[in-house]
Amino acid sequence: MWNYLDSKEHNVENTIHKDFSPIALDHAQHPRHIGPLSEFAGCAHIKGPCGDTMVFWLAVRDHTIEKATFVTDGCGTSRACGSMATCLAEGKRVEEAMAVCQDDILKALGNMPKDGEHCALLAANTLKAACENYLSQGKARV
Ligand code: FES
């Protein structure tokens, strides 16, 4: 399994700058829900066009996301976006979490550098793929 600790984490500080809102800065520097889940109902691993990778894990109970975690080897922006995506997913029913989009993540984070907006798309796409992975395993309990 790919190890995020061997990733480009050391570059994170270099990618954070004045265009980050205080919320985005906090999520970039102190990402929530980082690291794999040992037991999970859904998982997805996507490499974005920029070459960075994001992985999401979901723990689901009663068709509701109890826990969402992630890792990325991307920049500070991708850490902020992955972190916010996990926060937006938790407590939602799987179909609601699948509908979390790039714009939802960007709005929740506040200001983000324009050139980092694709990181929110990668986070939204990976969350959606993890939800689809859960559903494809026939573990849906409506
Ligand atoms: Fe690659 Fe943000 S720069 S995901």
Side-chain angles (χ1 to χ4, degrees):
M1 169 53 95
W2 170 69
N3 184 352
Y4 77 98
L5 293 175
D6 292 335
S7 72
K8 297 179 275 182
E9 196 169 9
H10 59 281
N11 287 333
V12 165
E13 295 304 323
N14 297 337
T15 63
I16 294 172
H17 51 77
K18 62 179 174 48
D19 292 339
F20 278 65
S21 72
I23 295 172
L25 188 61
D26 184 43
H27 278 265
Q29 292 179 323
H30 309 286
R32 294 8 170 227
H33 314 126
I34 199 157
L37 289 174
S38 54
E39 289 185 26
F40 52 88
C43 178
H45 179 176
I46 295 183
K47 186 174 206 155
C50 62
D52 293 336
T53 302
M54 201 169 281
V55 189
F56 268 70
W57 292 265
L58 304 176
V60 180
R61 180 185 295 228
D62 296 332
H63 208 58
T64 298
I65 297 180
E66 267 194 336
K67 260 190 198 166
T69 68
F70 83 106
V71 297
T72 183
D73 61 357
C75 58
T77 312
S78 55
R79 280 168 70 109
C81 291
S83 174
M84 183 54 81
T86 62
C87 292
L88 292 173
E90 283 193 357
K92 283 190 168 64
R93 289 181 62 79
V94 174
E95 287 81 1
E96 290 176 306
M98 283 177 80
V100 170
C101 65
Q102 177 187 25
D103 214 36
D104 296 329
I105 295 167
L106 290 171
K107 277 192 183 126
L109 286 169
N111 287 345
M112 290 282 281
K114 199 81 183 146
D115 62 0
E117 290 184 356
H118 70 279
C119 310
L121 182 60
L122 178 61
N125 286 343
T126 313
L127 170 61
K128 184 175 181 194
C131 292
E132 287 169 348
N133 175 250
Y134 163 74
L135 292 171
S136 74
Q137 294 178 54
K139 292 182 178 171
R141 305 270 186 272
V142 180

